[in-house]
Amino acid sequence: MTAGAVLPQELIRRKRDGGELQPREIDFLVRGIADGSVSDAQVGAFAMAVVLKGMTRDERVALTTAMMRSGEVLDWTEAGLPGPALDKHSTGGVGDKVSLILAPVIAACGGAVPMISGRGLGHTGGTLDKLESIPGYVATPDLDRLRAVVTDAGCAIVGQTARLAPADRRLYAIRDATGTVESLPLIVASILSKKLAAGLDALVMDVKVGSGAFMEEPGAARELASAIVETARGSALPCRALVTDMDRVLGRTAGNALEIHEAIDVLTGADADPRLVEVTLALCRELLALGGLDADPAEALRSGAAADRFARMVAALGGPSDLVEAPDRHLPRVEATAAALPARDGIVTAIDVRRIGLVVVALGGGRRHEAEGVDHAVGVSEVAAPGERVGIDDRPLAVVHARDPNAAQRGAAALREAFTIGDAPPPDVPVVRERLAGPP
């Protein structure tokens, strides 16, 4: 070891004890995360130290920048995109299928969406896992194919390649396995390193709050939204954030293939949960305004233009060309189902949405550790919402889709514990709780 060499464990110890790391020290750790010279145990210990002690604004900016620079940074200036490079990111929720609808809507409105998405973390589903329920869909194309798909279809929802923010790719997986998901600095750095590496012109954030979100309290969600907007703008990326409700499942399904089907139903007009459409269009409007595009996202949805963009994206990335027309022909399904019936007739007054997400994980639809596979066919559908009447005979809380009847019954029993039933509807909560635009 050369004189003056930095030891990862010394930096971890200092952060554990509440000290501040310098940008060059953070850069050293991030390089080690990317090239493997910092071990899994050290990465997990560093993440836990950040969870316990936090980071200053300068540390957060340094971590984000170092993770962005750990790999290739895309440049779209010569790609011939149909419009500005725009993207949206959600902090995660149960049944959150907004990206599947928003990306083709923005493409139909003249934007270009190179969306780098992640896999499921904790009790929340991942957009990438959902898309991989589509037969043949290449979720991690090479960068040349990514550029071609965005240029042609107007959008591409893909995962991180080894060349884009590789430090974040490794840290993301270790966070899920070590109980360090809920950390503001790590969430900010993870989100923005990928988005900055994608070469965006603007970003809109969907920060979830409620029992199904990582941020259960409004104050924490507001703090995260402000930190993301501040850090993004400090990196010359125009950004706005909406704080949105996650005290109910977003839409009526949770589970990979089930959510793809619901998103297709929204795109085609076959069926659409009003709150899902409302939050999607609100985010679209913010993003189109940031990109300087004067277009109506509701019309893009109504006209079928967004559905066409989704179909083109799926086909260009290896999926069936007729997925939008015939989703039942291609999406995986399970035969075992069970209705989760309430203990009594009444009205849904509250939902522990996190518990619903954990039921999906227990069915196999999510991961308990980063190396675990995902069953794309399982999940829950027809999920009741607060204020809706349920009954012991024919109005279930939800329907469980499982690999075998026993698993379906276990899931239904667990789901009953997630719902509170009363006699009067609870106060209505708007789906968009707050908007943060930041300084001009």
Side-chain angles (χ1 to χ4, degrees):
M1 182 180 298
T2 60
V6 180
L7 291 174
Q9 55 266 42
E10 292 302 316
L11 301 181
I12 294 165
R13 183 179 291 111
R14 194 192 318 153
K15 177 46 60 184
R16 179 202 67 190
D17 293 340
E20 181 173 350
L21 301 180
Q22 299 302 309
R24 60 180 175 78
E25 295 170 328
I26 291 173
D27 189 63
F28 166 81
L29 282 173
V30 170
R31 287 200 310 271
I33 293 170
D35 65 22
S37 60
V38 175
S39 70
D40 283 359
Q42 289 172 326
V43 176
F46 170 69
M48 186 60 75
V50 173
V51 169
L52 296 174
K53 298 299 182 179
M55 277 185 153
T56 66
R57 179 188 179 279
D58 289 344
E59 284 180 303
R60 194 171 66 234
V61 171
L63 180 63
T64 302
T65 302
M67 287 169 60
M68 180 262 292
R69 291 177 178 166
S70 67
E72 183 170 345
V73 178
L74 298 183
D75 182 357
W76 298 98
T77 53
E78 303 297 327
L81 292 183
L86 308 175
D87 198 2
K88 161 261 174 192
H89 187 85
S90 169
T91 54
V94 178
D96 182 3
K97 53 199 70 76
V98 169
S99 292
L100 302 170
I101 307 164
L102 177 143
V105 167
I106 294 295
C109 289
V113 187
M115 186 177 286
I116 310 298
S117 295
R119 303 192 183 279
L121 270 178
H123 66 282
T124 68
T127 300
L128 210 59
D129 294 324
K130 296 165 192 175
L131 286 165
E132 287 185 331
S133 66
I134 300 173
Y137 193 94
V138 178
T140 52
D142 61 41
L143 294 180
D144 288 340
R145 187 172 186 180
L146 170 61
R147 290 186 180 98
V149 175
V150 174
T151 301
D152 176 62
C155 58
I157 309 175
V158 299
Q160 286 175 264
T161 70
R163 293 164 60 186
L164 280 181
D168 173 69
R169 192 163 179 249
R170 184 174 174 219
L171 179 57
Y172 191 92
I174 292 173
R175 283 169 57 209
D176 192 24
T178 56
T180 54
V181 171
E182 295 95 337
S183 163
L184 187 147
L186 296 180
I187 292 171
V188 170
S190 176
I191 293 167
L192 290 180
S193 63
K194 292 190 290 282
K195 299 308 180 184
L196 291 168
L200 299 179
D201 293 312
L203 172 69
V204 67
M205 279 298 308
D206 182 5
V207 178
K208 300 294 187 189
V209 62
S211 66
F214 291 120
M215 302 294 173
E216 295 190 29
E217 298 300 325
R222 187 180 304 111
E223 182 184 10
L224 175 60
S226 297
I228 291 171
V229 171
E230 177 188 57
T231 305
R233 287 176 173 265
S235 303
L237 176 63
C239 181
R240 295 178 185 172
L242 298 182
V243 177
T244 67
D245 178 62
M246 189 38 69
D247 273 328
R248 66 177 74 188
V249 171
L250 190 53
R252 296 292 179 171
T253 61
N256 299 298
L258 292 167
E259 292 189 49
I260 291 288
H261 202 304
E262 184 174 13
I264 291 172
D265 285 345
V266 173
L267 288 166
T268 60
D271 191 21
D273 177 74
R275 285 172 72 91
L276 173 58
V277 173
E278 181 182 351
V279 73
T280 301
L281 293 180
L283 290 160
C284 285
R285 292 185 185 102
E286 296 289 347
L287 193 50
L288 291 169
L290 284 170
L293 295 174
D294 183 15
D296 181 2
E299 178 58 27
L301 197 55
R302 279 192 300 268
S303 69
D308 176 67
R309 295 288 183 158
F310 183 82
R312 287 164 61 181
M313 176 190 78
V314 169
L317 286 167
S321 59
D322 63 342
L323 178 69
V324 169
E325 291 80 12
D328 289 331
R329 185 184 304 160
H330 301 289
L331 294 174
R333 289 184 292 176
V334 288
E335 297 302 322
T337 62
L341 294 169
R344 70 176 183 93
D345 293 351
I347 294 171
V348 177
T349 59
I351 305 174
D352 183 345
V353 183
R354 181 186 180 92
R355 184 170 289 190
I356 295 177
L358 292 174
V359 168
V360 176
V361 173
L363 289 168
R367 291 179 178 79
R368 282 161 285 207
H369 57 81
E370 72 272 14
E372 193 171 36
V374 165
D375 188 335
H376 293 104
V378 301
V380 296
S381 65
E382 302 175 45
V383 182
E388 293 183 345
R389 186 167 291 278
V390 293
I392 59 175
D393 293 324
D394 59 352
R395 293 183 179 179
L397 303 166
V399 175
V400 178
H401 301 249
R403 278 292 160 188
D404 61 75
N406 288 336
Q409 291 298 333
R410 287 195 301 271
L415 271 182
R416 291 186 194 101
E417 301 300 317
F419 289 81
T420 302
I421 309 302
D423 297 315
D428 187 48
V429 176
V431 66
V432 178
R433 293 196 182 186
E434 193 170 350
R435 175 180 179 271
L436 293 91

